[in-house]
Amino acid sequence: MLENLLFPEIKETPESIIAKYPRREKWTVVTRIAPSPTWFLHIWAVYSAMLDKIIAHKNAWVFFLRIEDTDQKREVEWASEKFVDIFKIFWLNFDEGPVWENYIDVWNYWPYTQSKREYIYKVFLKDLIKKGLAYPCFLTEDELNETRAIQEASKVAIWVYKEYSPWRYASIDDVKKALSENKSFVIRLRSSWEITKKIDVKDIIKWNITTQENFLDIVLCKATGIPTYHFAHLIDDYLMGTTLVIRWDEWFASLPLHLELFSMMWWEAPQYAHYWPLVKIDWEGKRKLSKRKDLEADVEFYFREWYTVEWIIDFLSNIINSSFEDWRKQNPHLSYLDFDFKLEKVNTAGALVDIDKLNWVNSSVIKNMDTDLLYDKLISYLEKYDNEYLNIISKFPLEYNKKIVNELKTKIRKFNEFKENSFFFYEDSKLPNEELLVNTKMKIDSIDVVKKALEISLDLLISKWVDFQSIDEVKTAFVEKIIEAEMKNWQVLWPVRCALSWEEFSPGALEMVYILWVKESTIRLQKVLKTLK
Ligand code: GLU
């Protein structure tokens, strides 16, 4: 028999496999996230997992993780482990999946990694072949191209189906001959649905749509012996008892096929909810976020730039249901899971990843965070992404570093801006350009004004010689001195700021003096003044 010819090593039957996967309680709703470890973790995988989590949490249902690693050519080493770690950072805890210590499976619907389930898929493939619902196809690349050319010429649908699939009608002897010639083959579905018929598909997000039935003999198992996503997800979602599949829009076109596969097995299909692609706006206009060209498609981008996890979650929640934003304003301290999300109301038009908005809100998270907590977060960030800078700042007193963090709270939008806004606190001072010091807009039209400004400031610092207790104290002292010297505030503060930070942009002069302390400020001002003599 054909099935024994193709799968002589498979002894088990679908019934014996199904018996190992106990049916879940009828009322249990089971959702899952099933990423493929072929690249970095996409932001929409987190988005999708949040949708699952929201549904699961709301109803005390089951939420599991399955790793879909059937595309071994594109697989990236350690990606699955990284995915698990990232989901944990987002507090997306799974009830089941490879999520125990050392990525061991939790719960008894295992294995939750598709590459470990090849045997199971083969058992079902063998059975489908036995029942005539699938068949081996030995068409070569050239033959497929010829078929395509014929179909194009006769203006019919392109692909392998019905009369355009010679191996659909092959005898067992034809198969034996091809096998003896060592020809490679795939296993195709023998679709019984019709090109002319329509099917009503139900989708929780997109609502009901009438579309064409699947009629294509799609590949269930590749020539490598590895199943395609279509087939693997069918078997897995059935055995694992998935009742709700939330996945991205790209799979919507395959829904008629998936419904045919479930009906062919006499299994009840899960409910589907396809969410709209995340989009961004750039010079090309509004377009789908691309995993190839957009840095912000990668979840780690947000970590590298340091956006707070709390805010990324809120940001995505708002993409899920736009009314979240108002709710958040009224409930700043509640978990996003307390919001009454509605799948039917998932944002269809505005699934926009708006980095400007993200920056704006992230900066307010930073501004309002307790300085000690912010400092701890900064240190963990540097440990991961900029050890060199961490080594530099670690050589300075804690109090000094915290003063800087406190000052920069209102200036930075994310941690990757910390270094560019703080390096002048840690480096040996440099001499600013004369063009920077002389600034006609601020009525500093000659180097003599600069000199006078630095001299009166030095005078003030030397006569004080104990540190200021607050920025206000620095301010009062400077204002007094400036009035006494009959100068304008900016005529003094601009040169002092430039002499202390040698940069066009930095915190103001008073803040710089307060942070650097009197001694270091004096040294820096003296150094600059010397060069001006
Ligand atoms: N592995 C598929 C993907 O990453 C999962 C689709 C699904 O959730 O069924 O697109």
Side-chain angles (χ1 to χ4, degrees), residues 107-122:
W107 207 247
N108 53 3
Y109 292 82
W110 65 283
Y112 291 90
T113 302
Q114 288 187 331
S115 58
K116 296 181 185 158
R117 303 173 61 78
E118 275 174 31
Y119 179 81
I120 298 175
Y121 304 130
K122 284 187 179 155

Side-chain angles (χ1 to χ4, degrees), residues 356-375:
D356 287 339
K357 186 163 184 196
L358 190 58
N359 281 338
W360 181 74
V361 180
N362 207 58
S363 61
S364 84
V365 172
I366 292 184
K367 193 160 64 197
N368 294 320
M369 201 177 277
D370 167 72
T371 302
D372 289 338
L373 179 64
L374 189 63
Y375 181 74

Side-chain angles (χ1 to χ4, degrees), residues 52 97 123 142-143 233 323 326 338 492 500:
D52 286 303
V123 171
D142 287 347
E143 288 166 334
H233 108 284
S323 48
D326 285 339
D338 293 327
V492 176
L500 294 177

Side-chain angles (χ1 to χ4, degrees), residues 74-88:
R74 287 172 51 226
E75 186 166 343
V76 177
E77 220 190 333
W78 297 112
S80 335
E81 286 83 349
K82 217 171 189 181
F83 288 6
V84 172
D85 295 343
I86 292 178
F87 284 129
K88 283 187 185 158

Side-chain angles (χ1 to χ4, degrees), residues 32 34-36 68 229 247-248 251:
R32 88 289 191 281
S36 300
E68 300 207 324
Y229 162 73
R247 61 185 179 184
W248 65 323
W251 292 114

Side-chain angles (χ1 to χ4, degrees), residues 188 241 250 282 433 499:
R188 289 186 184 276
E250 197 168 86
D282 65 6
N433 291 333

